[in-house]
Amino acid sequence: FQKHEFFVDMTCEGCSNAVTRVLHRLGGVQFDIDLPNKKVCIDSEHNVDTLLETLKKTGKNASYLGEKSAQ
């Protein structure tokens, strides 16, 4: 799978919980949330547009930062 990094304007646990909820609903994703840096790293077969639309369902400002090379 491709790893994608997104910016999501999260300010608290509630925000990161909202991100977790929408991503779980989408399914087929593994992700890490970096709350202090407002980043969400997603491992998925879904395309970027789908992931971005999903993140925007939280009502937060979200944008695509780019692919993250697998370590």
Side-chain angles (χ1 to χ4, degrees):
F1 292 164
Q2 190 59 57
K3 264 188 176 340
H4 299 292
E5 211 168 28
F6 294 87
F7 165 83
V8 182
D9 195 12
M10 302 173 288
T11 49
C12 62
E13 281 298 307
C15 301
S16 60
N17 289 343
V19 169
T20 299
R21 266 200 309 279
V22 294
L23 288 174
H24 276 309
R25 204 171 298 147
L26 177 64
V29 294
Q30 284 185 305
F31 57 93
D32 288 309
I33 297 176
D34 179 350
L35 189 54
N37 294 313
K38 304 186 179 190
K39 282 183 186 170
V40 181
C41 186
I42 305 175
D43 218 349
S44 170
E45 58 204 356
H46 294 291
N47 65 32
V48 170
D49 292 338
T50 303
L51 296 171
L52 192 54
E53 282 308 302
T54 301
L55 289 171
K56 285 183 174 170
K57 284 179 186 163
T58 58
K60 304 278 164 219
N61 183 6
S63 56
Y64 182 50
L65 294 173
E67 288 180 6
K68 206 176 160 86
S69 53
Q71 261 77 36

